Amino acid sequence: MKIFITGVAGFLGSNVANHMIKLGHTIVGVDNLCGGFLDNVNSKVEFYKQDCIDIERMKEYSKGCDVVFHAACTAHEGVSVFSPYFITQNTFQITMSVLSAAIQNNVKKFVFCSSMARYGYQEVLPYTEDMVCNPQDPYAIAKYASELVIQRITSLNNMKYVIAVPHNIYGPGQNYRDPYRNVASIMINRMLQGKAPIVYGDGTQTRCFSYIDDVVEAFEKILLRDDLDGEVINVGPDKEFISINELVSILNNILGTNYETIYMPGRPMEVHKAYCSSDKMRRLLGISSKVQIHEGLEKLVDFIKTRGAKEFIYDNIPLEINTQITPKTWTRRIV
């Protein structure tokens, strides 16, 4: 198969590309390198440095492809409250560009990488795919709006689609210089610099973390199988819910440190408890997540140690709104 991957220089896109190349598939990929890195791109990828907002280039590059895997996104949920224009353009509008180009090129299937943020506040946990979504912030709203358009217009154009919902992906190769997202890698990078981890709110927020290899295994099946048309599938584990305070404790244990947490005011619109059911993934894809959180975090720590702790990069994302509620960790660049 010939697969078009957006965000191919990013963490997820590059890992999926590597895996599909090993299986013998041809990959065409684009990335604007806002959050990805050129050295992530497999030499066998037909790569174009390009922003997905350019629909003419998307038409050109996706021509002749069998499947589109749309992973490109400025996936910064917390930042979207303070940079709604930038984040939604790089979430919703680029999806419309890639989707329209794919339809014009008669691509057979469109695989969309959504986000657990789509669920928002729910009275019952864990999140299941049949829930009515209640997105809270601009990023989550843009992701869910993208899903709705995909669902509506693919059926008019004889295109299959699958919406995959991974959550909190982590592992070796992750961009650990991003000060806005990927809580585990932010903490590890700080702790390796001799700095205490920063937690927003009281640290009792509950999450589930998805190791990259487990996520890639799921996407292999989603990309290659023809019997999943129209499905929304949570991708990731549902057995190890941990609080952010527990995450700090695990990292202290792995690193052999005893840092006291620095607590900052909670971020606006953050959902306190958020984790998904993987029952549908197990039923439809026949797989379960294999890597447990402690093992996965050890591998992430080893990766960052090997690369070396580094200063965080702030300039890739503009903060459009700077008010009293904008986190001072961002406005003062103190992460």
Side-chain angles (χ1 to χ4, degrees), residues 114-120 122 124-131 133 147 164-168 206-210 232-242 271 273-282 289:
S114 190
S115 168
M116 180 176 64
R118 71 195 291 275
Y119 293 110
Q122 300 286 343
V124 178
L125 288 167
Y127 299 150
T128 56
E129 294 87 346
D130 58 352
M131 286 179 167
C133 291
E147 291 184 25
V165 188
H167 37 283
N168 298 317
T206 305
R207 298 291 186 268
C208 214
F209 293 86
S210 309
V232 178
I233 306 172
N234 292 335
V235 173
D238 60 359
K239 299 299 184 185
E240 288 188 291
F241 311 130
I242 64 169
V271 177
K273 293 186 181 296
Y275 45 89
C276 295
S277 165
S278 298
D279 286 345
K280 190 173 184 180
M281 181 184 77
R282 284 187 286 267
S289 297

mmCIF file of all heavy atoms in Angstrom, residues 114-120 122 124-131 133 147 164-168 206-210 232-242 271 273-282 289:
data_model
loop_
_atom_site.group_PDB
_atom_site.id
_atom_site.type_symbol
_atom_site.label_atom_id
_atom_site.label_comp_id
_atom_site.label_asym_id
_atom_site.label_seq_id
_atom_site.Cartn_x
_atom_site.Cartn_y
_atom_site.Cartn_z
ATOM 1 N N SER A 114 -7.609 11.396 16.517
ATOM 2 C CA SER A 114 -8.326 12.350 17.350
ATOM 3 C C SER A 114 -7.668 12.424 18.721
ATOM 4 O O SER A 114 -6.465 12.182 18.854
ATOM 5 C CB SER A 114 -9.798 11.965 17.449
ATOM 6 O OG SER A 114 -10.547 12.997 18.066
ATOM 7 N N SER A 115 -8.425 12.740 19.743
ATOM 8 C CA SER A 115 -7.873 12.932 21.082
ATOM 9 C C SER A 115 -8.909 12.576 22.136
ATOM 10 O O SER A 115 -10.119 12.793 21.939
ATOM 11 C CB SER A 115 -7.449 14.388 21.260
ATOM 12 O OG SER A 115 -7.174 14.678 22.618
ATOM 13 N N MET A 116 -8.437 12.070 23.257
ATOM 14 C CA MET A 116 -9.300 11.816 24.397
ATOM 15 C C MET A 116 -10.002 13.085 24.868
ATOM 16 O O MET A 116 -11.061 13.031 25.504
ATOM 17 C CB MET A 116 -8.470 11.219 25.534
ATOM 18 C CG MET A 116 -9.247 10.905 26.792
ATOM 19 S SD MET A 116 -8.210 10.093 28.037
ATOM 20 C CE MET A 116 -7.026 11.392 28.397
ATOM 21 N N ALA A 117 -9.429 14.253 24.521
ATOM 22 C CA ALA A 117 -10.037 15.525 24.910
ATOM 23 C C ALA A 117 -11.451 15.672 24.356
ATOM 24 O O ALA A 117 -12.241 16.471 24.872
ATOM 25 C CB ALA A 117 -9.164 16.685 24.446
ATOM 26 N N ARG A 118 -11.788 14.921 23.325
ATOM 27 C CA ARG A 118 -13.119 14.974 22.718
ATOM 28 C C ARG A 118 -14.225 14.698 23.731
ATOM 29 O O ARG A 118 -15.340 15.213 23.621
ATOM 30 C CB ARG A 118 -13.217 13.965 21.566
ATOM 31 C CG ARG A 118 -13.246 12.524 22.054
ATOM 32 C CD ARG A 118 -12.976 11.498 20.953
ATOM 33 N NE ARG A 118 -14.024 11.394 19.964
ATOM 34 C CZ ARG A 118 -15.102 10.637 20.077
ATOM 35 N NH1 ARG A 118 -15.294 9.918 21.193
ATOM 36 N NH2 ARG A 118 -15.989 10.577 19.123
ATOM 37 N N TYR A 119 -13.930 13.869 24.730
ATOM 38 C CA TYR A 119 -14.958 13.463 25.684
ATOM 39 C C TYR A 119 -15.295 14.558 26.689
ATOM 40 O O TYR A 119 -16.445 14.689 27.125
ATOM 41 C CB TYR A 119 -14.514 12.208 26.428
ATOM 42 C CG TYR A 119 -14.414 10.985 25.563
ATOM 43 C CD1 TYR A 119 -13.184 10.419 25.252
ATOM 44 C CD2 TYR A 119 -15.555 10.374 25.047
ATOM 45 C CE1 TYR A 119 -13.082 9.287 24.458
ATOM 46 C CE2 TYR A 119 -15.466 9.232 24.248
ATOM 47 C CZ TYR A 119 -14.220 8.706 23.949
ATOM 48 O OH TYR A 119 -14.136 7.592 23.162
ATOM 49 N N GLY A 120 -14.287 15.322 27.112
ATOM 50 C CA GLY A 120 -14.524 16.398 28.067
ATOM 51 C C GLY A 120 -15.030 15.905 29.412
ATOM 52 O O GLY A 120 -14.647 14.829 29.883
ATOM 53 N N GLN A 122 -17.426 14.126 31.819
ATOM 54 C CA GLN A 122 -18.421 13.065 31.777
ATOM 55 C C GLN A 122 -18.735 12.644 33.207
ATOM 56 O O GLN A 122 -17.856 12.632 34.071
ATOM 57 C CB GLN A 122 -17.902 11.857 30.988
ATOM 58 C CG GLN A 122 -17.550 12.142 29.537
ATOM 59 C CD GLN A 122 -18.765 12.324 28.650
ATOM 60 O OE1 GLN A 122 -19.884 11.936 29.005
ATOM 61 N NE2 GLN A 122 -18.552 12.905 27.473
ATOM 62 N N VAL A 124 -19.668 9.666 34.056
ATOM 63 C CA VAL A 124 -19.287 8.268 34.237
ATOM 64 C C VAL A 124 -17.923 8.035 33.594
ATOM 65 O O VAL A 124 -17.643 8.525 32.501
ATOM 66 C CB VAL A 124 -20.323 7.323 33.601
ATOM 67 C CG1 VAL A 124 -19.887 5.875 33.759
ATOM 68 C CG2 VAL A 124 -21.698 7.540 34.235
ATOM 69 N N LEU A 125 -17.074 7.306 34.278
ATOM 70 C CA LEU A 125 -15.768 6.914 33.753
ATOM 71 C C LEU A 125 -15.651 5.394 33.800
ATOM 72 O O LEU A 125 -16.284 4.755 34.643
ATOM 73 C CB LEU A 125 -14.649 7.561 34.585
ATOM 74 C CG LEU A 125 -14.477 9.061 34.397
ATOM 75 C CD1 LEU A 125 -13.580 9.629 35.493
ATOM 76 C CD2 LEU A 125 -13.876 9.368 33.034
ATOM 77 N N PRO A 126 -14.859 4.789 32.924
ATOM 78 C CA PRO A 126 -14.020 5.405 31.911
ATOM 79 C C PRO A 126 -14.818 5.854 30.686
ATOM 80 O O PRO A 126 -15.979 5.475 30.514
ATOM 81 C CB PRO A 126 -13.045 4.285 31.534
ATOM 82 C CG PRO A 126 -13.847 3.033 31.735
ATOM 83 C CD PRO A 126 -14.692 3.316 32.949
ATOM 84 N N TYR A 127 -14.160 6.661 29.823
ATOM 85 C CA TYR A 127 -14.787 7.102 28.588
ATOM 86 C C TYR A 127 -14.989 5.912 27.653
ATOM 87 O O TYR A 127 -14.083 5.103 27.446
ATOM 88 C CB TYR A 127 -13.897 8.105 27.857
ATOM 89 C CG TYR A 127 -13.592 9.390 28.594
ATOM 90 C CD1 TYR A 127 -12.386 10.037 28.369
ATOM 91 C CD2 TYR A 127 -14.501 9.972 29.464
ATOM 92 C CE1 TYR A 127 -12.080 11.237 28.997
ATOM 93 C CE2 TYR A 127 -14.211 11.156 30.108
ATOM 94 C CZ TYR A 127 -12.997 11.794 29.874
ATOM 95 O OH TYR A 127 -12.709 12.974 30.510
ATOM 96 N N THR A 128 -16.184 5.817 27.080
ATOM 97 C CA THR A 128 -16.456 4.815 26.050
ATOM 98 C C THR A 128 -16.876 5.525 24.769
ATOM 99 O O THR A 128 -17.387 6.650 24.794
ATOM 100 C CB THR A 128 -17.557 3.839 26.494
ATOM 101 O OG1 THR A 128 -18.737 4.591 26.828
ATOM 102 C CG2 THR A 128 -17.113 3.029 27.702
ATOM 103 N N GLU A 129 -16.666 4.846 23.645
ATOM 104 C CA GLU A 129 -16.839 5.478 22.343
ATOM 105 C C GLU A 129 -18.279 5.880 22.053
ATOM 106 O O GLU A 129 -18.526 6.705 21.163
ATOM 107 C CB GLU A 129 -16.330 4.544 21.247
ATOM 108 C CG GLU A 129 -14.837 4.275 21.271
ATOM 109 C CD GLU A 129 -14.416 3.125 22.177
ATOM 110 O OE1 GLU A 129 -15.243 2.682 23.005
ATOM 111 O OE2 GLU A 129 -13.263 2.677 22.052
ATOM 112 N N ASP A 130 -19.244 5.311 22.777
ATOM 113 C CA ASP A 130 -20.646 5.639 22.525
ATOM 114 C C ASP A 130 -21.129 6.848 23.322
ATOM 115 O O ASP A 130 -22.294 7.245 23.215
ATOM 116 C CB ASP A 130 -21.525 4.432 22.817
ATOM 117 C CG ASP A 130 -21.390 3.934 24.260
ATOM 118 O OD1 ASP A 130 -20.500 4.430 24.990
ATOM 119 O OD2 ASP A 130 -22.167 3.037 24.652
ATOM 120 N N MET A 131 -20.264 7.448 24.117
ATOM 121 C CA MET A 131 -20.651 8.628 24.900
ATOM 122 C C MET A 131 -20.892 9.835 24.000
ATOM 123 O O MET A 131 -20.266 9.984 22.948
ATOM 124 C CB MET A 131 -19.557 8.972 25.913
ATOM 125 C CG MET A 131 -19.474 8.044 27.091
ATOM 126 S SD MET A 131 -18.135 8.521 28.226
ATOM 127 C CE MET A 131 -18.560 7.520 29.654
ATOM 128 N N CYS A 133 -20.053 13.353 23.212
ATOM 129 C CA CYS A 133 -18.856 14.137 23.524
ATOM 130 C C CYS A 133 -19.220 15.498 24.094
ATOM 131 O O CYS A 133 -20.236 16.096 23.729
ATOM 132 C CB CYS A 133 -18.007 14.307 22.263
ATOM 133 S SG CYS A 133 -17.242 12.779 21.718
ATOM 134 N N GLU A 147 -13.921 15.524 13.499
ATOM 135 C CA GLU A 147 -14.566 14.205 13.400
ATOM 136 C C GLU A 147 -15.929 14.302 12.715
ATOM 137 O O GLU A 147 -16.269 13.480 11.861
ATOM 138 C CB GLU A 147 -14.759 13.608 14.787
ATOM 139 C CG GLU A 147 -13.497 13.201 15.511
ATOM 140 C CD GLU A 147 -13.815 12.522 16.832
ATOM 141 O OE1 GLU A 147 -14.929 11.958 16.951
ATOM 142 O OE2 GLU A 147 -12.974 12.559 17.739
ATOM 143 N N ALA A 164 -9.429 7.209 15.352
ATOM 144 C CA ALA A 164 -8.696 6.597 16.459
ATOM 145 C C ALA A 164 -8.494 7.633 17.556
ATOM 146 O O ALA A 164 -8.202 8.797 17.275
ATOM 147 C CB ALA A 164 -7.350 6.077 15.976
ATOM 148 N N VAL A 165 -8.638 7.201 18.797
ATOM 149 C CA VAL A 165 -8.568 8.119 19.939
ATOM 150 C C VAL A 165 -7.476 7.667 20.903
ATOM 151 O O VAL A 165 -7.740 7.012 21.914
ATOM 152 C CB VAL A 165 -9.928 8.195 20.671
ATOM 153 C CG1 VAL A 165 -9.912 9.292 21.736
ATOM 154 C CG2 VAL A 165 -11.069 8.437 19.676
ATOM 155 N N PRO A 166 -6.219 7.969 20.596
ATOM 156 C CA PRO A 166 -5.142 7.649 21.542
ATOM 157 C C PRO A 166 -5.134 8.638 22.699
ATOM 158 O O PRO A 166 -5.725 9.731 22.595
ATOM 159 C CB PRO A 166 -3.872 7.783 20.697
ATOM 160 C CG PRO A 166 -4.238 8.762 19.638
ATOM 161 C CD PRO A 166 -5.711 8.609 19.381
ATOM 162 N N HIS A 167 -4.473 8.272 23.789
ATOM 163 C CA HIS A 167 -4.449 9.183 24.931
ATOM 164 C C HIS A 167 -3.104 9.129 25.632
ATOM 165 O O HIS A 167 -2.603 8.066 25.990
ATOM 166 C CB HIS A 167 -5.583 8.897 25.919
ATOM 167 C CG HIS A 167 -5.927 7.450 26.101
ATOM 168 N ND1 HIS A 167 -6.662 6.742 25.189
ATOM 169 C CD2 HIS A 167 -5.637 6.581 27.096
ATOM 170 C CE1 HIS A 167 -6.813 5.501 25.612
ATOM 171 N NE2 HIS A 167 -6.190 5.380 26.767
ATOM 172 N N ASN A 168 -2.519 10.325 25.796
ATOM 173 C CA ASN A 168 -1.264 10.494 26.551
ATOM 174 C C ASN A 168 -0.178 9.533 26.085
ATOM 175 O O ASN A 168 0.330 8.713 26.857
ATOM 176 C CB ASN A 168 -1.522 10.321 28.056
ATOM 177 C CG ASN A 168 -2.472 11.359 28.600
ATOM 178 O OD1 ASN A 168 -2.377 12.533 28.270
ATOM 179 N ND2 ASN A 168 -3.411 10.937 29.438
ATOM 180 N N THR A 206 -6.347 12.446 37.370
ATOM 181 C CA THR A 206 -6.104 11.050 37.043
ATOM 182 C C THR A 206 -6.025 10.860 35.534
ATOM 183 O O THR A 206 -6.875 11.356 34.788
ATOM 184 C CB THR A 206 -7.228 10.164 37.613
ATOM 185 O OG1 THR A 206 -7.341 10.398 39.014
ATOM 186 C CG2 THR A 206 -6.915 8.693 37.381
ATOM 187 N N ARG A 207 -5.002 10.127 35.103
ATOM 188 C CA ARG A 207 -4.784 9.885 33.678
ATOM 189 C C ARG A 207 -4.325 8.441 33.459
ATOM 190 O O ARG A 207 -3.918 7.750 34.381
ATOM 191 C CB ARG A 207 -3.711 10.835 33.120
ATOM 192 C CG ARG A 207 -4.052 12.321 33.195
ATOM 193 C CD ARG A 207 -5.181 12.696 32.265
ATOM 194 N NE ARG A 207 -5.414 14.127 32.224
ATOM 195 C CZ ARG A 207 -6.276 14.786 33.010
ATOM 196 N NH1 ARG A 207 -6.972 14.114 33.924
ATOM 197 N NH2 ARG A 207 -6.442 16.085 32.879
ATOM 198 N N CYS A 208 -4.372 8.013 32.188
ATOM 199 C CA CYS A 208 -3.804 6.752 31.763
ATOM 200 C C CYS A 208 -2.830 7.060 30.636
ATOM 201 O O CYS A 208 -3.108 7.912 29.790
ATOM 202 C CB CYS A 208 -4.905 5.819 31.265
ATOM 203 S SG CYS A 208 -4.593 4.087 31.615
ATOM 204 N N PHE A 209 -1.682 6.403 30.623
ATOM 205 C CA PHE A 209 -0.629 6.721 29.672
ATOM 206 C C PHE A 209 -0.421 5.559 28.702
ATOM 207 O O PHE A 209 -0.422 4.393 29.100
ATOM 208 C CB PHE A 209 0.668 7.038 30.416
ATOM 209 C CG PHE A 209 0.580 8.308 31.224
ATOM 210 C CD1 PHE A 209 0.069 8.291 32.516
ATOM 211 C CD2 PHE A 209 0.989 9.520 30.687
ATOM 212 C CE1 PHE A 209 -0.030 9.458 33.256
ATOM 213 C CE2 PHE A 209 0.897 10.690 31.414
ATOM 214 C CZ PHE A 209 0.391 10.664 32.703
ATOM 215 N N SER A 210 -0.233 5.904 27.420
ATOM 216 C CA SER A 210 -0.161 4.911 26.339
ATOM 217 C C SER A 210 1.257 4.837 25.792
ATOM 218 O O SER A 210 1.756 5.828 25.231
ATOM 219 C CB SER A 210 -1.118 5.298 25.205
ATOM 220 O OG SER A 210 -2.415 5.564 25.694
ATOM 221 N N VAL A 232 -15.144 4.436 15.696
ATOM 222 C CA VAL A 232 -14.371 5.273 16.611
ATOM 223 C C VAL A 232 -13.779 4.337 17.650
ATOM 224 O O VAL A 232 -14.516 3.577 18.295
ATOM 225 C CB VAL A 232 -15.248 6.341 17.288
ATOM 226 C CG1 VAL A 232 -14.424 7.172 18.276
ATOM 227 C CG2 VAL A 232 -15.911 7.236 16.253
ATOM 228 N N ILE A 233 -12.452 4.353 17.801
ATOM 229 C CA ILE A 233 -11.788 3.356 18.646
ATOM 230 C C ILE A 233 -10.806 4.034 19.590
ATOM 231 O O ILE A 233 -9.847 4.696 19.148
ATOM 232 C CB ILE A 233 -11.023 2.318 17.791
ATOM 233 C CG1 ILE A 233 -11.949 1.687 16.753
ATOM 234 C CG2 ILE A 233 -10.414 1.245 18.688
ATOM 235 C CD1 ILE A 233 -11.226 0.801 15.747
ATOM 236 N N ASN A 234 -11.033 3.870 20.894
ATOM 237 C CA ASN A 234 -10.041 4.315 21.875
ATOM 238 C C ASN A 234 -8.793 3.449 21.752
ATOM 239 O O ASN A 234 -8.887 2.222 21.693
ATOM 240 C CB ASN A 234 -10.585 4.194 23.296
ATOM 241 C CG ASN A 234 -11.709 5.161 23.584
ATOM 242 O OD1 ASN A 234 -11.814 6.213 22.965
ATOM 243 N ND2 ASN A 234 -12.563 4.817 24.541
ATOM 244 N N VAL A 235 -7.637 4.084 21.726
ATOM 245 C CA VAL A 235 -6.368 3.367 21.574
ATOM 246 C C VAL A 235 -5.489 3.647 22.782
ATOM 247 O O VAL A 235 -5.095 4.791 23.021
ATOM 248 C CB VAL A 235 -5.641 3.798 20.283
ATOM 249 C CG1 VAL A 235 -4.248 3.185 20.220
ATOM 250 C CG2 VAL A 235 -6.458 3.411 19.052
ATOM 251 N N GLY A 236 -5.206 2.608 23.559
ATOM 252 C CA GLY A 236 -4.368 2.780 24.741
ATOM 253 C C GLY A 236 -4.819 1.874 25.863
ATOM 254 O O GLY A 236 -5.784 1.122 25.726
ATOM 255 N N PRO A 237 -4.132 1.927 26.980
ATOM 256 C CA PRO A 237 -4.450 1.045 28.109
ATOM 257 C C PRO A 237 -5.618 1.563 28.935
ATOM 258 O O PRO A 237 -5.972 2.741 28.874
ATOM 259 C CB PRO A 237 -3.157 1.074 28.929
ATOM 260 C CG PRO A 237 -2.619 2.451 28.687
ATOM 261 C CD PRO A 237 -2.974 2.787 27.260
ATOM 262 N N ASP A 238 -6.215 0.674 29.694
ATOM 263 C CA ASP A 238 -7.259 1.110 30.624
ATOM 264 C C ASP A 238 -7.133 0.407 31.970
ATOM 265 O O ASP A 238 -8.106 0.271 32.708
ATOM 266 C CB ASP A 238 -8.651 0.875 30.034
ATOM 267 C CG ASP A 238 -8.937 -0.589 29.705
ATOM 268 O OD1 ASP A 238 -8.046 -1.438 29.923
ATOM 269 O OD2 ASP A 238 -10.050 -0.887 29.236
ATOM 270 N N LYS A 239 -5.915 -0.014 32.321
ATOM 271 C CA LYS A 239 -5.724 -0.783 33.548
ATOM 272 C C LYS A 239 -4.875 -0.060 34.598
ATOM 273 O O LYS A 239 -4.848 -0.484 35.742
ATOM 274 C CB LYS A 239 -5.063 -2.124 33.219
ATOM 275 C CG LYS A 239 -5.879 -3.006 32.273
ATOM 276 C CD LYS A 239 -7.221 -3.378 32.862
ATOM 277 C CE LYS A 239 -7.980 -4.322 31.953
ATOM 278 N NZ LYS A 239 -9.343 -4.607 32.432
ATOM 279 N N GLU A 240 -4.160 0.986 34.217
ATOM 280 C CA GLU A 240 -3.253 1.644 35.155
ATOM 281 C C GLU A 240 -3.547 3.145 35.231
ATOM 282 O O GLU A 240 -2.805 3.966 34.734
ATOM 283 C CB GLU A 240 -1.794 1.433 34.736
ATOM 284 C CG GLU A 240 -1.283 0.032 34.944
ATOM 285 C CD GLU A 240 0.213 -0.061 34.685
ATOM 286 O OE1 GLU A 240 0.622 0.064 33.522
ATOM 287 O OE2 GLU A 240 0.968 -0.239 35.659
ATOM 288 N N PHE A 241 -4.658 3.485 35.847
ATOM 289 C CA PHE A 241 -4.960 4.895 36.062
ATOM 290 C C PHE A 241 -4.081 5.402 37.192
ATOM 291 O O PHE A 241 -4.037 4.796 38.263
ATOM 292 C CB PHE A 241 -6.428 5.083 36.443
ATOM 293 C CG PHE A 241 -7.398 4.366 35.542
ATOM 294 C CD1 PHE A 241 -8.387 3.565 36.072
ATOM 295 C CD2 PHE A 241 -7.308 4.486 34.163
ATOM 296 C CE1 PHE A 241 -9.291 2.908 35.259
ATOM 297 C CE2 PHE A 241 -8.199 3.833 33.338
ATOM 298 C CZ PHE A 241 -9.189 3.034 33.880
ATOM 299 N N ILE A 242 -3.380 6.498 36.950
ATOM 300 C CA ILE A 242 -2.563 7.061 38.025
ATOM 301 C C ILE A 242 -2.792 8.562 38.113
ATOM 302 O O ILE A 242 -3.146 9.218 37.132
ATOM 303 C CB ILE A 242 -1.047 6.779 37.820
ATOM 304 C CG1 ILE A 242 -0.525 7.460 36.554
ATOM 305 C CG2 ILE A 242 -0.774 5.287 37.798
ATOM 306 C CD1 ILE A 242 0.988 7.438 36.439
ATOM 307 N N VAL A 271 -9.806 19.019 32.532
ATOM 308 C CA VAL A 271 -10.680 17.968 33.050
ATOM 309 C C VAL A 271 -9.917 17.201 34.122
ATOM 310 O O VAL A 271 -8.782 16.783 33.903
ATOM 311 C CB VAL A 271 -11.135 17.030 31.916
ATOM 312 C CG1 VAL A 271 -11.988 15.896 32.473
ATOM 313 C CG2 VAL A 271 -11.912 17.823 30.861
ATOM 314 N N LYS A 273 -10.517 14.213 35.911
ATOM 315 C CA LYS A 273 -10.333 12.772 35.756
ATOM 316 C C LYS A 273 -10.662 12.400 34.317
ATOM 317 O O LYS A 273 -11.767 12.676 33.843
ATOM 318 C CB LYS A 273 -11.214 11.992 36.731
ATOM 319 C CG LYS A 273 -10.820 12.188 38.191
ATOM 320 C CD LYS A 273 -11.629 11.295 39.098
ATOM 321 C CE LYS A 273 -11.261 11.505 40.563
ATOM 322 N NZ LYS A 273 -9.872 11.131 40.848
ATOM 323 N N ALA A 274 -9.705 11.775 33.635
ATOM 324 C CA ALA A 274 -9.883 11.462 32.225
ATOM 325 C C ALA A 274 -9.139 10.181 31.876
ATOM 326 O O ALA A 274 -7.907 10.154 31.892
ATOM 327 C CB ALA A 274 -9.379 12.627 31.363
ATOM 328 N N TYR A 275 -9.893 9.144 31.602
ATOM 329 C CA TYR A 275 -9.283 7.911 31.114
ATOM 330 C C TYR A 275 -10.333 7.094 30.360
ATOM 331 O O TYR A 275 -11.530 7.244 30.566
ATOM 332 C CB TYR A 275 -8.655 7.086 32.239
ATOM 333 C CG TYR A 275 -9.486 6.935 33.487
ATOM 334 C CD1 TYR A 275 -10.382 5.881 33.620
ATOM 335 C CD2 TYR A 275 -9.354 7.824 34.551
ATOM 336 C CE1 TYR A 275 -11.125 5.715 34.777
ATOM 337 C CE2 TYR A 275 -10.101 7.674 35.717
ATOM 338 C CZ TYR A 275 -10.983 6.613 35.821
ATOM 339 O OH TYR A 275 -11.722 6.465 36.964
ATOM 340 N N CYS A 276 -9.848 6.271 29.447
ATOM 341 C CA CYS A 276 -10.711 5.599 28.474
ATOM 342 C C CYS A 276 -10.841 4.102 28.732
ATOM 343 O O CYS A 276 -9.937 3.464 29.270
ATOM 344 C CB CYS A 276 -10.148 5.788 27.070
ATOM 345 S SG CYS A 276 -10.134 7.489 26.492
ATOM 346 N N SER A 277 -11.945 3.552 28.267
ATOM 347 C CA SER A 277 -12.100 2.103 28.193
ATOM 348 C C SER A 277 -11.441 1.608 26.908
ATOM 349 O O SER A 277 -11.555 2.236 25.851
ATOM 350 C CB SER A 277 -13.581 1.732 28.178
ATOM 351 O OG SER A 277 -13.750 0.387 27.775
ATOM 352 N N SER A 278 -10.773 0.462 26.993
ATOM 353 C CA SER A 278 -10.166 -0.160 25.812
ATOM 354 C C SER A 278 -10.910 -1.417 25.387
ATOM 355 O O SER A 278 -10.385 -2.218 24.603
ATOM 356 C CB SER A 278 -8.700 -0.498 26.101
ATOM 357 O OG SER A 278 -7.956 0.665 26.367
ATOM 358 N N ASP A 279 -12.114 -1.598 25.882
ATOM 359 C CA ASP A 279 -12.873 -2.812 25.542
ATOM 360 C C ASP A 279 -13.073 -2.943 24.035
ATOM 361 O O ASP A 279 -12.947 -4.032 23.473
ATOM 362 C CB ASP A 279 -14.234 -2.794 26.238
ATOM 363 C CG ASP A 279 -14.132 -3.077 27.726
ATOM 364 O OD1 ASP A 279 -13.066 -3.557 28.164
ATOM 365 O OD2 ASP A 279 -15.108 -2.797 28.451
ATOM 366 N N LYS A 280 -13.384 -1.835 23.380
ATOM 367 C CA LYS A 280 -13.643 -1.894 21.942
ATOM 368 C C LYS A 280 -12.366 -2.220 21.177
ATOM 369 O O LYS A 280 -12.402 -2.975 20.188
ATOM 370 C CB LYS A 280 -14.242 -0.576 21.461
ATOM 371 C CG LYS A 280 -14.773 -0.620 20.040
ATOM 372 C CD LYS A 280 -15.502 0.672 19.701
ATOM 373 C CE LYS A 280 -16.113 0.615 18.320
ATOM 374 N NZ LYS A 280 -16.829 1.879 17.981
ATOM 375 N N MET A 281 -11.241 -1.684 21.594
ATOM 376 C CA MET A 281 -9.961 -1.995 20.956
ATOM 377 C C MET A 281 -9.671 -3.491 21.061
ATOM 378 O O MET A 281 -9.262 -4.127 20.081
ATOM 379 C CB MET A 281 -8.831 -1.192 21.595
ATOM 380 C CG MET A 281 -7.462 -1.441 20.976
ATOM 381 S SD MET A 281 -6.110 -0.557 21.811
ATOM 382 C CE MET A 281 -5.890 -1.597 23.273
ATOM 383 N N ARG A 282 -9.878 -4.041 22.246
ATOM 384 C CA ARG A 282 -9.630 -5.472 22.433
ATOM 385 C C ARG A 282 -10.567 -6.303 21.569
ATOM 386 O O ARG A 282 -10.168 -7.313 20.974
ATOM 387 C CB ARG A 282 -9.783 -5.842 23.914
ATOM 388 C CG ARG A 282 -8.608 -5.405 24.782
ATOM 389 C CD ARG A 282 -8.740 -5.935 26.194
ATOM 390 N NE ARG A 282 -9.761 -5.216 26.942
ATOM 391 C CZ ARG A 282 -9.517 -4.162 27.716
ATOM 392 N NH1 ARG A 282 -8.289 -3.699 27.839
ATOM 393 N NH2 ARG A 282 -10.501 -3.558 28.364
ATOM 394 N N SER A 289 -2.908 -3.455 25.436
ATOM 395 C CA SER A 289 -1.652 -2.781 25.737
ATOM 396 C C SER A 289 -0.778 -3.703 26.571
ATOM 397 O O SER A 289 -1.241 -4.357 27.494
ATOM 398 C CB SER A 289 -1.926 -1.474 26.483
ATOM 399 O OG SER A 289 -2.676 -0.593 25.672
#
